[in-house]
Amino acid sequence: MTHPIEARSITAGYGKDSVIDGLSVAVPRGRITALVGPNACGKSTLLKSLARLLPVASGSVLLEGSDIHALPTREVARKLGILPQSPIAPESITVGDLVWRGRHPHRRFGQRRTAADDALITDALLATGTAELIDRPVDELSGGQRQRVWIALALAQDTPVLLLDEPTTYLDIAHQFEVMDLLGDLNEQTGKTIVLVSHDLNQAALYASSIVAMRAGRIVHQGAPEQVLTEETVADVFGLNCVVVPHPRTAKPQIFPLGRRTLTQEK
């Protein structure tokens, strides 16, 4: 069985500077995979390369076994939903019109909206708590509201694979967990393959079944949360001392950092 999306020995970066070099990763089908690591380690560069937002200098990215760069754009958009790190909406576009754009890859030229389109758009708005914003211009929304609207667009696209770059950015803690619960429900109920970049190791441990830990443009650890998120790995990847304990409800690993002041206060 092919992986839904896979990178084979890819090198990618910006200008003459390579951020990832010879990197290979195969995303497990029907699971949530979290990319974690320190700033500038290559997480977003890898996600952009998988999404075809960034060309690779060498190697290949395969989408359902086919070279993603050889596939028509519309076919890629039907299979792959993307939430980039800092998306930009057209000026004055309303929430409803923006989310409607998620349905464009599924429409023939000139084809009108269908009842199925409207149902998917409504479901996406309701799932993200943005239905009451449907007539509001996107550029008038708060950062957290905009983030949820962009997630709604990705959901309306209704693709089997979702790539999300820090989907809980700008959200308060309650909305962060609402979004992560939504992604968990989507994965469980529809079998969507979800890849997300996360800076929150504890959230990644709770919601992802596969963790990819990166450092300096390379994958250094990969596996289940219990295998990857250990005190030794956190020290290796982030240079941070910590205590890892099981969550009292789920037994998933939860990380408590030990900063300098914490260590000096130990009795």
Side-chain angles (χ1 to χ4, degrees):
M1 181 184 293
T2 61
H3 294 279
I5 193 159
E6 180 179 0
R8 292 184 178 177
S9 301
I10 63 170
T11 296
Y14 308 92
K16 296 180 179 179
D17 298 323
S18 295
V19 178
I20 55 178
D21 188 5
L23 184 150
S24 296
V25 64
V27 174
R29 185 180 300 278
R31 298 168 71 183
I32 298 178
T33 297
L35 307 180
V36 303
N39 289 338
C41 73
K43 303 184 298 296
S44 292
T45 300
L46 173 57
L47 198 79
K48 289 177 184 177
S49 299
L50 293 176
R52 206 172 74 170
L53 297 177
L54 182 69
V56 296
S58 62
S60 58
V61 175
L62 305 182
L63 179 61
E64 293 295 354
S66 298
D67 186 341
I68 195 170
H69 291 279
L71 294 173
T73 298
R74 186 174 289 268
E75 182 177 347
V76 173
R78 288 172 178 164
K79 295 179 178 179
L80 193 65
I82 305 161
L83 174 64
Q85 192 171 56
S86 299
I88 299 174
E91 186 175 357
S92 300
I93 193 171
T94 65
V95 168
D97 286 341
L98 182 67
V99 176
W100 157 238
R101 292 189 174 205
R103 301 302 305 150
H104 287 190
H106 303 276
R107 309 266 56 80
R108 296 188 301 273
F109 180 76
Q111 184 179 2
R112 295 182 179 181
R113 284 171 64 159
T114 65
D117 291 327
D118 289 335
L120 284 165
I121 292 167
T122 298
D123 288 347
L125 291 168
L126 289 172
T128 54
T130 55
E132 72 280 5
L133 304 174
I134 190 167
D135 295 320
R136 291 272 303 278
V138 174
D139 51 18
E140 292 182 3
L141 304 180
S142 70
Q145 289 172 325
R146 282 197 299 271
Q147 187 73 355
R148 286 187 284 141
V149 167
W150 283 109
I151 293 171
L153 179 141
L155 298 182
Q157 201 170 332
D158 193 31
T159 58
V161 179
L162 277 176
L163 304 182
L164 309 170
D165 198 345
E166 298 186 51
T168 58
T169 296
Y170 305 119
L171 302 182
D172 60 49
I173 190 167
H175 283 119
Q176 287 181 31
F177 278 90
E178 285 180 8
V179 165
M180 294 305 295
D181 281 338
L182 169 63
L183 296 177
D185 290 344
L186 281 170
N187 170 253
E188 186 176 286
Q189 295 168 10
T190 69
K192 285 184 187 294
T193 299
I194 299 173
V195 184
L196 58 90
V197 171
S198 178
H199 279 292
D200 191 321
L201 297 181
N202 288 335
Q203 277 188 9
L206 289 174
Y207 289 94
S209 56
S210 177
I211 305 287
V212 176
M214 297 182 64
R215 185 187 66 227
R218 297 183 181 277
I219 294 173
V220 291
H221 300 280
Q222 183 175 2
E226 297 80 3
Q227 297 171 317
V228 175
L229 297 179
T230 64
E231 294 173 7
E232 294 76 16
T233 298
V234 173
D236 177 36
V237 173
F238 293 91
L240 177 69
N241 292 319
C242 70
V243 174
V244 177
V245 299
H247 190 283
R249 295 289 182 89
T250 68
K252 294 290 186 180
Q254 294 292 279
I255 294 154
F256 291 85
L258 296 175
R260 175 177 54 80
R261 290 181 58 82
T262 306
L263 291 171
T264 58
Q265 292 171 16
E266 285 186 333
K267 296 182 178 179

